[in-house]
Structure formats: structure tokens, C-alpha cells
């Protein structure tokens, strides 16, 4: 059995395909929930993950001795330490993100590995309960085969770190799939006639909009992808939280004590969820011995003038105007990038829990002119991606799923006047597999350096690897690059007197010593309930 994992910034979800019914099933975690918060709370060698980590966070806040990590997905791909290779004056260095606990530097992928281990553990218990696994099997006895999803814009380094995280967690990662591709598979688009689909994925802290082409022969091709990595459900939480802060201060003439910040956040999230179901909700705020009721409305009642300025009333949709316009602008940007208009899009599908707010499908209906339920699908936004990953795993080998290159790849070269530029060989959004070659002038002892990124300037791109030619004389070097469907980049440099090869993710990111150390560490941690 292969499981599909949506390793989200704020929530994770696991699904599998039942071998008898061939229908997707969602795994319930140890608390009986279909999603698990991507939160880790360390207490020495013990790690609390998910709901229990959230409980620690709420109870003790950040001032406790516990180490709490959230939103680690944003830092995947950033270096734990800066490799000496990157120490060059022309490189803009990314911020190191050590995620250190008791002297061990986990990195964002190490923390993700802990989350994955918890997901594995809960999945095994769930499968045992349902009679899908023998009762005697323990977590460490099996390398559960898994497909993990990643954002479409992830580069090779990020993808490889996710693989390492899976490996360290004791999973056998048999595939990495783009989240929008998974969402489209969940909606069954691979079986239908050729269609152009927009996947609108609004998660906890990120918005990713992707246009895909699904053609009859079970192919998914990413046409273009755009996103905002600082826009998501939590921004809507903030709108409600600010209102609570404001009203509290107005009533009690004192601000909410800072240590109750998390509590207000909880109230806000609860109110937000209720407003997805109901037109209005009343929440009781209770801080120390101060108590107040607040009523929040989803939208302004029909007929009420928008000129009635009443700052005390809370109309969720109106207060979300600027967030909604960012959603609209991003959707328009991805259309523009793919040179398409709304009428070229056959279907829009919603992924991400934050799409459960009715204002999201409403916005998309308004801007696209598509009809809800027909061309605009909101079925189960928070399980769609995991379900698609499970479907992918189930059919792996049978289906052909084409992805596109997330970033352009090129070679750094030196001009006559000693300046450095990037000459791109492979281009962003080019379908995979892809290959190209180019001839460059090469001085003695030339170095072929590979960079990933859109800019012509090396300092604005990220360094991926190098080949030292060891050539003695001035001449030419022919650089061949090819990248396969799994994203493994192969670079071949042919020059007078030699031929050298570099396989980028193997050389730099295969399960090396560091990955093995990480795995040992992750396996030694006690995952608490
Ligand atoms: P990610 O992919 O970023 O991990 P998800 O796709 O699971 O996250 O989306 C999480 C976001 O969705 C959170 O901000 C959460 O509050 C929000 N969310 C989930 N369910 C609902 C709901 N019923 N109404 C409104 N927002 C919701
Ligand atoms: Mg997500």
C-alpha cells in the first residue's frame, strides 16, 4: 500500500487508496482528526507533534522552556550551515535556518521529518484498526511507501530535502508530486477529456495558483504557477483577532495582556470556522475576570447601506477586501503569464482549507464568470491534495504525469571584460524531461558552474554545483544538460582532453552521511501523544 501525504505549511493530511474498493480513504490521526497541525514542540528528546504541540503552545506560550516550531515548510531548502562553496563575494546568502534543539541542527527538513514520523505512526495505527495492516507490525518494522506533495515552484534542492525528510522519518518516498497536480488528480481529471484547469490553493500561510493541462491520456502538465508566500488563512485570523483586541480595549479600557495573544488567536480561528458555516456567530471572550460577547457577521445584510459607517460592526467579507484583491491579482497574474483568459479555463478547483470560507468561491465566481458546482469545484479542499498523492502512488508507473521545470537552469560564464553572467540552457515552465547543450569559451583550468534562477546575474540565482575541467589549454567546452521527469539534473562537460559528468541531486543531496545522521536522530526521538 502506498500512502499520499500532503505536507502542508500549517496542516498535513494523509490518504490511501483502498485496494478492494479502489476508493480514496483519509487517515484519521490519533485524535480522530483528518488533518494534523504542522507544529512541533520539543521537550528535550521528546517531541509533541500536531494537536498536542498546539496545546503546549496555547498553555505555555513561547516563554516556556519548550521549543516550538511552526511554518517550517517555508524554510525548506535554506542551508543549515553555509557550505564553504557558497562563500563567495558575489553571492547573496540565504538566511541560515538551523532549527537547533539541544545542540542538534535539524534544519527545516529535519523538523518536517519529525512531523512525517508522527504521520507515519498515526497511519500505521489507523491501518491496523481498519484491518489493513497486521497488528503485530511496529512503526520501525516498515518503510511505508509514500508519495509526498510539494509546491509547484519548489526547486530541486527543496524536493530533495523533502525526500530526505521522508527517508529520515522511515518512509520509502516513491514519488514527489506537485500539489496542484495532486489536487487535479483528486478531482478525477485524469479520466476526463482534455481540460485546462486552474488550481486555486489557499492554505494557512500561502496562496498558490497553478494552471494545468490534463489530457485524455492521464497526463498532467503544469502550464504556469504563481503564488504569494505570505497570504493565507492566518491573515483572515488576524482580521478577526484585531477586531477582538480593539473591542476589548474599548470595553475594558486596557489592552489584552500580551500573554493572551495566543488565546485571542484561538478565539479568532473558532469564529472564522463558524462564519464558514453560519451567517453570524457570537463568541464569548474571557480574559482573567473580564468577559464580553462579540457578534460577527459574514456579510453586510442586503439593503444596508455601505455608507452606514459603524466601526463596531464586524462584516467579515468587507474587512477582507484587500486580501481578496490580492487573490484576484494573483489569479490574473497567472493567466497573464500563461497568455490565457478566464474563458480558456475549463474548470477551477479549490484546494487548501482556507477556501472553505464562502467568500473565496464567491470571489472566483465573480471574477471568472464560472458557476459554482459546475466549472468551479469545491469538494473537499483540505483533503484533495493528499487524496491526489494517494491516487498518484496507486497508479504510479501506469500513468504518465508530466511536470514542468520550476526554475531556469544555466551556466555562469565570464565575458571578455571580466564580468559574470548566467547563460540559461533550460527554461522555467519547460515540460520535463528536457535537455539542451551549448558551447562556451574556456580558459585553462576552467570551471563550469551551474545556477538555478531567472536572473542573468549570478548573485540573484542559486548555486547548484560545479565541474572543474582541469584543462590545460584555452579552448571550448560543450555543456550538455538534461533533466528527467523526477527532476534529476545531469550535466556533461566535453572539452579538449576530457569529458566530465555531474549528476546534481545525486552528488549533492543523495542520502549522504548527513541524511543518515539525521535519520538516526529522528528515529531516536520519542513522539509523544
Ligand atoms: P496548508 O496547506 O497551508 O498547510 P491547509 O490547506 O490545511 O493549509 O489550510 C489551512 C488553513 O485553512 C488554516 O488557516 C485554517 O484556519 C483554514 N481553514 C480550515 N478549515 C476552515 C474552515 N472551515 N473555514 C475557514 N478556514 C478554514
Ligand atoms: Mg496546502
Amino acid at each position: 500500500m502506498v500512502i499520499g501525504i500532503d505536507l502542508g505549511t500549517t496542516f498535513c493530511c494523509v490518504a490511501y487508496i483502498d485496494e478492494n474498493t479502489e476508493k480514496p480513504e483519509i487517515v484519521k490521526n490519533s485524535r480522530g482528526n483528518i488533518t494534523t497541525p504542522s507544529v512541533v514542540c520539543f521537550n528535550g528528546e521528546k517531541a509533541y507533534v500536531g494537536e498536542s504541540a498546539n496545546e503546549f503552545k496555547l498553555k505555555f506560550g513561547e516563554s516556556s522552556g519548550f521549543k516550538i516550531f511552526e511554518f517550517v515548510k517555508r524554510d525548506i531548502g535554506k542551508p543549515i550551515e553555509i557550505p564553504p562553496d557558497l562563500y563567495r563575494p558575489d553571492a547573496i546568502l540565504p538566511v541560515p535556518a538551523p532549527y537547533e534543539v539541544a545542540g542538534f541542527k535539524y534544519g527545516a527538513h529535519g523538523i518536517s521529518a519529525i512531523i512525517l514520523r508522527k504521520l507515519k505512526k498515526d497511519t500505521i495505527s489507523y491501518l491496523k484498526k481498519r484491518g489493513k495492516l497486521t497488528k503485530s507490525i511496529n512503526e520501525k518494522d516498515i518503510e511505508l511507501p509514500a508519495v509526498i506533495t510539494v509546491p509547484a515552484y519548489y526547486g530541486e534542492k527543496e524536493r530533495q530535502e523533502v525526500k530526505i525528510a521522508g527517508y529520515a522519518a522511515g518512509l520509502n518516498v516513491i514519488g514527489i508530486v506537485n500539489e496542484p497536480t495532486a489536487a487535479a488528480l483528486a478531482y478525477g481529471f485524469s479520466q476526463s477529456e482534455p481540460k485546462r484547469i486552474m488550481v486555486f490553493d489557499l492554505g494557512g500561510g500561502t496562496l498558490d495558483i497553478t494552471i494545468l493541462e490534463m489530457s485524455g491520456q492521464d497526463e498532467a502538465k503544469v502550464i504556469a504557477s504563481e503564488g504569494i508566500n505570505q497570504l493565507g488563512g492566518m491573515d483572515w485570523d488576524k482580521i478577526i483577532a484585531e477586531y477582538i483586541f480593539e473591542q476589548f480595549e474599548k470595553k475594558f479600557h486596557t489592552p489584552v495582556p500580551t500573554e493572551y495573544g495566543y488565546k485571542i488567536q484561538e478565539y479568532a480561528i473558532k469564529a472564522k470556522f463558524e462564519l464558514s458555516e453560519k451567517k453570524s456567530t457570537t463568541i464569548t471572550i474571557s480574559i482573567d475576570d473580564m468577559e464580553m460577547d462579540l457578534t460577527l457577521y459574514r456579510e453586510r445584510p442586503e439593503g444596508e447601506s455601505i455608507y452606514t459607517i459603524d466601526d463596531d460592526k464586524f462584516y467579515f467579507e468587507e474587512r477582507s477586501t484587500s486580501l481578496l484583491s490580492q487573490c484576484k491579482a494573483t489569479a490574473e497574474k497567472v493567466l497573464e503569464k500563461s497568455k490565457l483568459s478566464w474563458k480558456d479555463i475549463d474548470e477551477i478547483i479549490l484546494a487548501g482549507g482556507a477556501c472553505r470560507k464562502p467568500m473565496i468561491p464567491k470571489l472566483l465566481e465573480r471574477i471568472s464568470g464560472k458557476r459554482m458546482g459546475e466549472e468551479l469545484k469545491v469538494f473537499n479542499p483540505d483533503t484533495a491534495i493528499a487524496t491526489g498523492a494517494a491516487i498518484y502512488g496507486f497508479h504510479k508507473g501506469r500513468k504518465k504525469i508530466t511536470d514542468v521545470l520550476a526554475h531556469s537552469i544555466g551556466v555562469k560564464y565570464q565575458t571578455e571584460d571580466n564580468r559574470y553572467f548566467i547563460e540559461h540552457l533550460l527554461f522555467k515552465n519547460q515540460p520535463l524531461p528536457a535537455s539542451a547543450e551549448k558551447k562556451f569559451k574556456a580558459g585553462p583550468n576552467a570551471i563550469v558552474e551551474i545556477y538555478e534562477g531567472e536572473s542573468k546575474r549570478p548573485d540573484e540565482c542559486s548555486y547548484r554545483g560545479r565541474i572543474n575541467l582541469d584543462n590545460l589549454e584555452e579552448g571550448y567546452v560543450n555543456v550538455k544538460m538534461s533533466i528527467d521527469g523526477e527532476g534529476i539534473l545531469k550535466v556533461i562537460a566535453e572539452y579538449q582532453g576530457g569529458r566530465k559528468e555531474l549528476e546534481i541531486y545525486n552528488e549533492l543531496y543523495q542520502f549522504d552521511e548527513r541524511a543518515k545522521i539525521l535519520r538516526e536522530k529522528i528515529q531516536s526521538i520519542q513522539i509523544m501523544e
Side-chain angles (χ1 to χ4, degrees):
M1 171 173 309
V2 181
I3 60 167
I5 303 178
D6 172 5
L7 181 63
T9 314
T10 49
F11 286 92
C12 298
C13 181
V14 182
Y16 65 94
I17 305 297
D18 186 299
E19 263 139 29
N20 301 322
T21 61
E22 298 207 355
K23 291 239 156 60
E25 299 282 340
I26 306 298
V27 171
K28 289 200 174 117
N29 68 13
S30 57
R31 298 284 179 104
N33 297 322
I34 55 171
T35 56
T36 301
S38 313
V39 185
V40 177
C41 171
F42 275 96
N43 181 9
E45 292 290 285
K46 296 189 186 116
Y48 297 82
V49 186
E51 288 90 344
S52 60
N54 261 342
E55 286 158 12
F56 273 103
K57 188 180 86 180
L58 285 171
K59 215 149 104 210
F60 304 108
E62 275 162 338
S63 54
S64 64
F66 301 109
K67 277 240 177 187
I68 298 165
F69 297 110
E70 292 182 272
F71 315 118
V72 300
K73 187 174 178 179
R74 289 189 174 156
D75 286 338
I76 284 187
K78 291 187 188 166
I80 297 181
E81 287 153 320
I82 302 159
D85 236 50
L86 279 175
Y87 252 119
R88 58 187 67 226
D90 63 345
I92 294 177
L93 298 175
V95 190
Y99 289 99
E100 193 169 331
V101 183
F104 190 86
K105 289 171 180 160
Y106 288 84
H109 65 294
I111 303 296
S112 303
I114 295 171
I115 298 173
L116 288 170
R117 232 197 97 195
K118 153 84 173 166
L119 299 176
K120 176 184 172 186
K121 195 168 167 245
D122 284 0
T123 303
I124 289 175
S125 320
Y126 185 80
L127 292 176
K128 277 190 199 171
K129 250 186 262 158
R130 306 213 97 201
K132 305 280 172 202
L133 268 183
T134 334
K135 288 258 186 292
S136 60
I137 277 185
N138 287 316
E139 185 208 326
K140 299 208 172 149
D141 297 340
I142 44 167
E143 301 265 304
L144 210 54
V147 170
I148 307 177
T149 59
V150 297
Y153 60 79
Y154 260 22
E156 271 332 294
K157 184 161 196 271
E158 289 82 0
R159 283 166 204 262
Q160 187 60 11
E161 284 195 358
V162 170
K163 279 191 191 168
I164 292 174
Y167 162 76
L171 295 166
N172 169 19
V173 183
I174 64 155
I176 298 282
V177 183
N178 284 339
E179 286 159 8
T181 303
L185 290 174
Y187 284 85
F189 282 115
S190 63
Q191 280 115 51
S192 55
E193 70 270 37
K195 272 197 169 143
R196 210 178 276 126
I197 295 163
M198 175 186 278
V199 177
F200 186 96
D201 179 0
L202 187 61
T206 52
L207 168 66
D208 294 302
I209 309 180
T210 311
I211 296 177
L212 303 162
E213 241 164 41
M214 310 290 293
S215 54
Q217 282 70 50
D218 297 341
E219 280 193 37
K221 189 171 134 197
V222 177
I223 307 287
S225 185
E226 267 302 325
I228 305 183
N229 62 6
Q230 299 292 350
L231 179 72
M234 63 167 83
D235 296 292
W236 273 268
D237 302 344
K238 268 186 219 143
I239 291 177
I240 302 179
E242 265 160 34
Y243 178 71
I244 301 174
F245 282 126
E246 201 183 278
Q247 294 298 313
F248 184 94
E249 189 162 353
K250 205 161 171 180
K251 174 144 187 186
F252 299 109
H253 307 288
T254 173
V256 174
T258 43
E259 67 267 32
Y260 287 106
Y262 281 123
K263 202 167 169 189
I264 299 297
Q265 197 190 341
E266 273 287 281
Y267 283 129
I269 294 173
K270 188 167 167 273
K272 178 179 80 169
F273 275 59
E274 283 175 9
L275 286 177
S276 291
E277 304 303 320
K278 306 184 284 183
K279 292 244 168 196
S280 72
T281 180
T282 301
I283 50 172
T284 306
I285 310 293
S286 160
I287 299 270
D288 290 338
D289 54 355
M290 293 170 274
E291 206 174 283
M292 72 187 294
D293 279 348
L294 278 179
T295 301
L296 299 96
Y297 302 88
R298 191 193 278 175
E299 59 198 321
R300 188 180 288 272
E302 236 172 279
E304 189 185 292
S305 160
I306 53 159
Y307 299 110
T308 338
I309 304 287
D310 185 351
D311 282 345
D312 278 351
K313 274 232 169 122
F314 184 93
Y315 297 126
F316 199 22
E317 299 198 355
E318 249 171 62
R319 290 189 190 232
S320 308
T321 312
S322 99
L323 298 178
L324 292 172
S325 43
Q326 289 183 60
C327 293
K328 177 173 179 271
T330 310
E332 284 164 354
K333 207 162 140 194
V334 72
L335 282 172
E336 192 185 298
K337 205 160 126 185
S338 47
K339 300 193 175 64
L340 296 170
S341 67
W342 285 112
K343 65 172 178 13
D344 302 314
I345 304 294
D346 299 313
E347 315 252 3
I348 303 173
I349 63 183
L350 301 185
C355 284
R356 284 199 185 270
K357 289 185 297 290
M359 66 177 92
I360 302 296
K362 198 165 139 187
L363 168 83
L364 286 164
E365 261 196 312
R366 184 167 63 75
I367 61 175
S368 70
K370 313 253 176 240
R371 281 154 306 161
M372 222 12 248
E374 294 187 26
E375 301 139 314
L376 206 162
K377 307 262 190 289
V378 49
F379 169 55
N380 204 342
D382 33 35
T383 57
I385 291 171
T387 302
I391 295 172
Y392 180 95
F394 189 71
H395 295 290
K396 193 174 157 79
R398 279 204 269 153
K399 283 191 200 309
K400 194 170 156 232
I401 296 174
T402 321
D403 268 332
V404 295
L405 199 54
H407 299 284
S408 303
I409 302 174
V411 171
K412 177 168 140 181
Y413 73 95
Q414 194 176 9
T415 56
E416 303 278 330
D417 54 349
N418 286 327
R419 287 183 307 152
Y420 288 99
F421 281 103
I422 301 292
E423 178 74 33
H424 290 110
L425 273 77
L426 300 172
F427 295 90
K428 188 177 172 162
N429 288 333
Q430 196 173 341
L432 297 182
S435 61
E437 59 178 285
K438 209 159 223 157
K439 222 174 188 180
F440 295 90
K441 259 198 179 143
N445 286 315
I447 299 166
V448 173
E449 284 184 280
I450 314 299
Y451 278 79
E452 181 183 270
E454 305 322 303
S455 173
K456 278 263 163 203
R457 290 177 47 174
D459 61 345
E460 289 173 350
C461 293
S462 43
Y463 169 75
R464 294 303 317 280
R466 68 207 288 171
I467 300 177
N468 294 314
L469 296 188
D470 304 323
N471 55 328
L472 299 174
E473 287 154 36
E474 192 165 314
Y476 287 92
V477 56
N478 191 35
V479 180
K480 284 185 183 164
M481 268 187 200
S482 60
I483 187 156
D484 66 9
E486 293 282 298
I488 301 169
L489 175 71
K490 202 181 231 180
V491 184
I492 300 171
E494 289 166 332
Y495 52 100
Q496 221 170 356
R499 180 181 186 279
K500 282 195 175 183
E501 260 187 56
L502 174 71
E503 202 164 84
I504 288 203
Y505 100 40
N506 279 338
E507 197 124 320
L508 292 178
Y509 310 111
Q510 260 286 285
F511 303 139
D512 56 8
E513 223 28 62
R514 271 158 80 161
K516 282 173 191 148
I517 293 168
L518 181 68
R519 182 179 163 109
E520 232 162 77
K521 183 76 190 174
I522 300 297
Q523 294 298 321
S524 74
I525 288 169
Q526 220 181 322
I527 306 279
M528 308 298 290
E529 255 326 297

